[in-house]
Amino acid sequence: MANTGTLLVISGPSGVGKSTVVARLRERIPFHFSVSATTRRPRSGERNGVDYYFVGEDEFEELVEGGRLLEWAEYSGRRYGTPRGPVITRLEAGEHVLLDIENLGAMQVKRSYPEATTIFLAPPSRDELERRLRSRGDTDEVDIQTRLEVAGWQEEMARGEFDYVVVNDELDRVVDEIVRIIRSPSH
Ligand code: 5GP
């Protein structure tokens, strides 16, 4: 497709610091940030339609059945999906679109939209990831353990399947690296 914007998909384990990186990246490059639908409950401070569309199981099922999601996946017992319409509209208008989604969804996007650039943000180490997850203080112990387990296989998979793996060691460096990737002609 000519004249379309870049579709950038950023994945990485829960707690790796994706939101911070994404926020900084958007200060450097104007992106339309795709708001996902999810069946999980809002955390404190999260707003419907801004952070996520918080929907019930039935409503999510309708989105799936109606083909209205570009991809969807289950994560930690909840479902998450990217509304298709806004992504396509923005890309066709020449805007850059950014998805912050987990691995399996990222791979679905890459299959249906091979021009997408996929970046996996990896933690410097498992211990550091555990420390970051705990310091958030909004995730219970069972959920922390699940998220750590998932993080292990996600990273293994990412090394074979993502276009780029970037270690989130230092914010400025990481944001610079991603900006370089996006601006490189061959990405
Ligand atoms: P959280 O519950 O911490 O907000 O998100 C959990 C995981 O779901 C994160 O890895 C996040 O990137 C992922 N996620 C958020 N929205 C979507 C989506 O629309 N599709 C997929 N596949 N994953 C998503």
Side-chain angles (χ1 to χ4, degrees), residues 13-184:
S14 177
V16 75
K18 266 180 312 206
S19 323
T20 313
V21 169
V22 163
R24 284 285 292 277
L25 192 58
R26 290 174 71 196
E27 288 169 8
R28 300 274 296 273
I29 297 180
F31 274 106
H32 168 71
F33 182 69
S34 161
V35 179
S36 298
T38 183
T39 60
R40 87 150 161 74
R41 299 236 165 79
R43 299 194 186 113
S44 72
E46 285 183 328
R47 285 175 297 158
N48 191 30
V50 176
D51 301 287
Y52 281 105
Y53 295 105
F54 295 100
V55 300
E57 291 290 344
D58 290 351
E59 201 179 333
F60 197 94
E61 192 53 37
E62 278 170 27
L63 293 173
V64 173
E65 293 293 318
R68 296 189 35 216
L69 300 179
L70 188 61
E71 60 72 37
W72 70 271
E74 195 169 306
Y75 178 90
S76 214
R78 300 292 177 184
R79 296 203 283 173
Y80 297 80
T82 304
R84 183 191 302 277
V87 172
I88 303 301
T89 309
R90 300 286 183 146
L91 286 175
E92 285 178 356
E95 290 180 49
H96 300 317
V97 176
L98 178 56
L99 309 184
D100 165 358
I101 63 179
E102 56 68 64
N103 287 44
L104 299 176
M107 294 301 94
Q108 290 175 53
V109 171
K110 187 74 185 176
R111 271 195 298 276
S112 58
Y113 202 93
E115 308 92 316
T117 299
T118 54
I119 296 180
F120 185 85
L121 209 54
S125 68
R126 188 189 186 279
D127 285 353
E128 177 59 20
L129 182 64
E130 184 165 354
R131 196 191 63 70
R132 291 184 194 177
L133 269 175
R134 288 191 194 289
S135 71
R136 261 190 349 196
D138 60 4
T139 313
D140 68 33
E141 186 55 34
V142 175
D143 211 13
I144 286 177
Q145 290 308 327
T146 314
R147 286 174 184 235
L148 283 172
E149 268 170 43
V150 170
W153 68 254
Q154 276 183 338
E155 186 165 344
E156 247 171 68
M157 168 184 160
R159 297 210 170 263
E161 309 231 23
F162 277 67
D163 297 329
Y164 302 92
V165 175
V166 175
V167 176
N168 190 14
D169 45 11
E170 208 268 303
L171 187 59
D172 288 331
R173 191 202 67 75
V174 168
V175 174
D176 282 348
E177 187 174 344
I178 298 176
V179 169
R180 259 201 312 278
I181 290 171
I182 296 163
R183 295 204 171 133
S184 73

